[in-house]
Amino acid sequence: MEKAASMALVSYSKADNAMRTNLKVIGDHMRAVVYLISDGVIPSNIGRGYVVRRLIRRVVRTGRLIGMRGDGHENSEGAFLPSLAETVISLSSEIDPDVESRRKSILGELQREELRFVQTLGRGEKLLDELLDEALGSAGDIGDKPCLSGKDVFLLYDTYGFPIEITAEIASERGVTIDMKGFDIEMENQRKQSQAAHNVIKLSVGNETEIIKSIPDTEFLGYESLFATAVVKGILINGNPVENVSEGTDVEILLDRTPFYAESGGQVGDNGFLYVYGEEGGKQNAVIEIKDVQKSLGNIFVHKGTIKQGSVEVGKKIDAAVDGKLRQGAKAHHTATHLLQSALKSVIGSETSQAGSLVAFDRLRFDFSFHRPLTEKELLEIESLVNQWISDATHLETNVMALQDAKNAGATAMFGEKYGEQVRVVEVPGVSMELCGGTHVSNTAEIRGFKIISEQGIASGVRRIEAVAGDAFVEYVCSRDNYMRHLCSSLKVKAEDVNSRVETIVEELRTARNEASSLRSKIAVLKAASLASKAVLVEPHNVRILVENMGDVDADGLKSAAEHLVGTLQDPAAVILGSSPGDGKVSLVAAFSPGVVKLGVQAGKFVGGIAKLCGGGGGGKPNFAQAGGRKPENLPDALEKARAEIVAALSSKA
């Protein structure tokens, strides 16, 4: 609080109650955010990250409200949160030593978040001021209490990232309330749209309670086996229960036990087949192809598929068979995801945390909290670490234990996931230990290899890595090797010489293009030289005007021609040229000599209006401007209009 007061150039002891309250807000919130970031909670728009972001933004706005500007080190455009955080960290040294060790990441995160929010504040505050003025004005007209609509509050929140709390605070200072009910409606509409965009399964039966009573939780056998005999406990079509179905029908099958993994923890559901046989193992009666498995109504597995042959009814015994190749792909990618998370923590810092994942049969996707793109060196180091752990051929250990025992053992839990009293812990000894219900390889060597395909940002402070492992890794490497072979064959060089050969070709192409452009410009100038005699004299200032169509001359050639002509014609002179270089394009250029500009006629303003006739636009300086369009058929009319308007403009100048 004393640090904040000094940065705001006030004295806490002499401050009024309002100022003291603001200083207390800053002190309290800064203490909270420093500890939260130290514990790995990174500002974001969801979950606990949004709590941190709200606290940070309130400190920033409160600080600016009491006059805090700059970083306290003579940089008026800098962030002030890091300076406040330095004080928090120094006061924390005897309470939590980890805070000091994470000083760099804490200060960096606060600086980035403040500077980002200052930009948001600038845009949002301007719009909010306008909206508040409208609310006050309209309320005054009809005598009602001024209120900011829920739609406007949501616009500030959704488009400008303006927290609802800050909107309410600023509005209150102006004597305006906000329509929270309307805001909640807008938020709910957005949630519904978001949910509709995801493939979420729900058993939409008339009475879910009856389904739960009649069908027990599904026993999962998939950790030990890919095959099992089970009994059909329920059949649904479009969420409605039926007793039997026939060939060609899309169905949802509920079994008492299954080897099929249901989508959860980021891992996709298994694929495979259900086989229905006659009495006492007789002739095969039906085949159901399973394309997805989801969990619903607690722990009931819903097998989504199509009846490929025969018919099936409730109560029948079936043989369930998981596609082993696809399951192996999911296992390899899931274990690789655990190794990737450990590698990330090792390379970029233990403060990074998982923000989401996808484990598919042919790829993995891993989202994590980090403030910048990873460098090539970091990506290579991460790949190298994962592949080293794979080649170590380490046996995985899987144990079921009490949740607290797992946490005490150091197991990593995914924030936001709900865990029971007993949890499954998957450990790659010496590398990773995570709470995980997914399927995994028994030995890291089964993964075979790991390759990062891409790394990109998907949200503020959240990065995404996509990678392949297992058979998908082999296929990826083989396909890239095949591309390289074709490239080497086409370029007639060895693989190690491809880069230098491509660089040479690019440079040769650049040189050839420059030479071609230069030649086109010279040709355009020669063509333009023959047009100089077509210039007409306009009274009363004796301005030479030339407006011509240059055919298929490109934009660069047109520019050179105009510059040549305005230099050839005596000042004052105005040159307007147009062309259709092909591909449905139009090029226009206007070059005015100093004498024409002095008369108040500017090329930049003039050429834009002409270009609109050709479906385009443009502009430039008073003496020279270029424009383009997409309607070459309108060029003749546009040039005629240009001729008429330039003559009229110059003739009217006194």
Side-chain angles (χ1 to χ4, degrees):
M1 285 158 57
E2 289 175 358
K3 178 67 175 178
S6 68
M7 293 182 73
L9 304 178
V10 298
S11 167
Y12 184 83
S13 61
K14 298 178 181 178
D16 59 22
N17 288 337
M19 176 62 74
R20 287 189 177 189
T21 298
N22 286 329
L23 291 170
K24 286 176 181 177
V25 166
I26 292 171
D28 177 82
H29 287 27
M30 280 305 302
R31 178 177 56 186
V33 298
V34 166
Y35 275 87
L36 284 163
I37 294 173
S38 174
D39 285 344
V41 185
I42 305 301
S44 71
N45 285 332
I46 56 173
R48 58 182 184 168
Y50 185 56
V51 175
V52 180
R53 176 159 285 169
R54 284 168 56 187
L55 292 172
I56 290 173
R57 289 182 169 185
R58 190 162 189 225
V59 175
V60 174
R61 193 191 171 254
T62 303
R64 291 168 66 86
L65 193 67
I66 65 174
M68 294 176 69
R69 294 290 190 278
D71 61 1
H73 302 288
E74 300 182 357
N75 180 4
S76 60
E77 298 299 319
F80 59 77
L81 293 187
S83 295
L84 294 172
E86 291 273 13
T87 303
V88 177
I89 293 169
S90 66
L91 290 169
S92 304
S93 58
E94 295 181 7
I95 303 164
D96 186 354
D98 288 340
V99 176
E100 173 61 44
S101 67
R102 292 165 184 157
R103 174 189 294 266
K104 184 178 178 181
S105 63
I106 293 169
L107 300 183
E109 198 63 54
L110 287 171
Q111 181 182 42
R112 286 186 293 273
E113 189 69 13
E114 178 180 349
L115 294 178
R116 270 198 298 258
F117 184 52
V118 166
Q119 293 179 331
T120 301
L121 268 179
R123 297 191 299 269
E125 282 181 336
K126 183 180 179 182
L127 175 61
L128 180 54
D129 281 341
E130 294 173 0
L131 294 172
L132 290 173
D133 287 341
E134 289 179 14
L136 288 165
S138 59
D141 292 340
I142 59 178
D144 286 343
K145 189 174 182 180
C147 179
L148 202 59
S149 74
K151 189 167 286 189
D152 287 338
V153 176
F154 182 76
L155 172 69
L156 287 161
Y157 169 83
D158 190 49
T159 305
Y160 294 90
F162 229 61
I164 179 71
E165 300 79 16
I166 290 181
T167 300
E169 199 170 315
I170 296 173
S172 177
E173 291 166 3
R174 295 277 300 274
V176 178
T177 61
I178 64 172
D179 176 14
M180 278 303 301
K181 189 174 287 186
F183 174 79
D184 291 339
I185 291 171
E186 294 294 327
M187 280 292 289
E188 184 60 28
N189 289 338
Q190 188 194 54
R191 286 193 194 98
K192 287 178 180 177
Q193 290 173 1
S194 177
Q195 288 170 357
H198 290 78
N199 181 26
V200 178
I201 181 169
K202 177 170 170 57
L203 297 181
S204 53
V205 296
N207 192 335
E208 293 183 354
T209 305
E210 291 304 314
I211 284 285
I212 295 172
K213 285 180 180 177
S214 61
I215 299 177
D217 286 350
T218 310
E219 181 186 358
F220 178 57
L221 309 171
Y223 292 135
E224 295 82 24
S225 176
L226 299 181
F227 304 93
T229 300
V231 176
V232 177
K233 289 293 184 180
I235 302 173
L236 299 104
I237 298 177
N238 297 324
N240 299 307
V242 297
E243 287 299 314
N244 56 71
V245 287
S246 56
E247 190 172 317
T249 308
D250 291 335
V251 295
E252 296 166 351
I253 305 288
L254 313 179
L255 305 175
D256 62 338
R257 59 211 299 262
T258 183
F260 283 81
Y261 183 82
E263 181 177 325
S264 62
Q267 182 177 328
V268 298
D270 280 328
N271 288 186
F273 289 89
L274 303 180
Y275 301 100
V276 182
Y277 293 93
E279 296 298 326
E280 298 180 0
K283 185 179 177 182
Q284 184 174 289
N285 284 345
V287 177
I288 305 114
E289 183 177 13
I290 302 301
K291 284 296 185 182
D292 188 21
V293 184
Q294 299 280 337
K295 284 184 184 179
S296 187
L297 297 177
N299 201 35
I300 297 174
F301 285 34
V302 182
H303 304 72
K304 296 167 66 73
T306 304
I307 309 293
K308 291 293 185 181
Q309 175 188 321
S311 61
V312 63
E313 60 188 63
V314 174
K316 284 287 186 181
K317 279 190 176 182
I318 60 98
D319 285 344
V322 174
D323 187 317
K325 184 172 183 181
L326 294 181
R327 166 68 79 81
Q328 184 62 28
K331 288 163 65 175
H333 284 106
H334 206 147
T335 306
T337 299
H338 286 209
L339 299 182
L340 171 59
Q341 178 162 218
S342 293
L344 278 165
K345 288 180 178 293
S346 175
V347 174
I348 64 175
S350 59
E351 63 271 15
T352 187
S353 60
Q354 182 176 346
S357 69
L358 169 71
V359 176
F361 306 126
D362 58 350
R363 71 191 191 284
L364 69 86
R365 189 177 71 213
F366 188 79
D367 301 340
F368 58 100
S369 58
F370 204 54
H371 60 275
R372 61 167 175 79
L374 271 61
T375 65
E376 279 296 320
K377 183 181 177 182
E378 288 169 334
L379 290 171
L380 287 172
E381 192 175 346
I382 290 165
E383 267 187 1
S384 178
L385 261 178
V386 174
N387 282 310
Q388 178 59 54
W389 292 329
I390 290 169
S391 67
D392 287 343
T394 304
H395 283 283
L396 273 71
E397 296 178 4
T398 304
N399 296 291
V400 176
M401 61 180 74
L403 177 60
Q404 192 56 52
D405 291 342
K407 289 181 177 179
N408 293 341
T412 301
M414 173 67 177
F415 186 84
E417 285 286 322
K418 290 181 172 61
Y419 298 101
E421 291 182 8
Q422 295 291 308
V423 293
R424 186 168 180 265
V425 178
V426 177
E427 181 180 8
V428 182
V431 178
S432 80
M433 180 190 289
E434 297 191 28
L435 305 184
C436 182
T439 61
H440 289 269
V441 297
S442 58
N443 187 295
T444 57
E446 293 177 39
I447 301 174
R448 304 175 72 182
F450 173 84
K451 182 68 181 173
I452 293 174
I453 306 301
S454 67
E455 189 274 338
Q456 61 184 328
I458 59 168
S460 176
V462 182
R463 309 293 301 173
R464 169 173 290 172
I465 282 179
E466 297 198 41
V468 288
D471 288 348
F473 162 78
V474 175
E475 290 170 10
Y476 179 84
V477 171
C478 288
S479 67
R480 290 304 180 272
D481 182 64
N482 193 36
Y483 297 149
M484 180 59 79
R485 287 174 185 273
H486 283 296
L487 195 56
C488 290
S489 176
S490 299
L491 298 176
K492 295 180 171 53
V493 295
K494 296 178 181 178
E496 57 266 28
D497 297 326
V498 166
N499 277 353
S500 58
R501 180 65 183 129
V502 169
E503 287 172 0
T504 300
I505 291 173
V506 169
E507 185 56 39
E508 288 173 352
L509 180 60
R510 187 182 294 113
T511 301
R513 283 177 172 169
N514 289 339
E515 289 175 353
S517 179
S518 177
L519 286 171
R520 284 194 294 269
S521 294
K522 288 177 181 178
I523 292 170
V525 168
L526 290 172
K527 191 173 181 179
S530 64
L531 298 175
S533 59
K534 294 185 177 182
V536 297
L537 204 63
V538 176
E539 299 290 348
H541 301 287
N542 296 323
V543 180
R544 290 171 178 79
I545 293 176
L546 182 63
V547 181
E548 288 293 331
N549 189 332
M550 294 283 287
D552 61 356
V553 173
D554 66 9
D556 289 337
L558 207 65
K559 177 177 179 288
S560 298
E563 288 172 341
H564 172 78
L565 284 167
V566 81
T568 301
L569 300 172
Q570 293 181 8
D571 188 23
V575 176
I576 301 164
L577 303 177
S579 67
S580 303
D583 296 329
K585 293 180 181 179
V586 173
S587 290
L588 290 163
V589 65
F592 294 171
S593 70
V596 173
V597 176
K598 284 181 182 178
L599 291 172
V601 183
Q602 297 186 5
K605 293 180 180 179
F606 184 84
V607 78
I610 303 304
K612 287 180 181 178
L613 293 176
C614 297
K621 298 178 181 178
N623 65 317
F624 188 87
Q626 288 179 286
R630 284 285 179 184
K631 296 180 180 178
E633 65 275 11
N634 293 351
L635 180 60
D637 291 341
L639 290 174
E640 281 303 316
K641 183 180 181 183
R643 181 179 286 108
E645 288 189 357
I646 192 66
V647 169
L650 293 170
S651 298
S652 64
K653 297 294 180 182

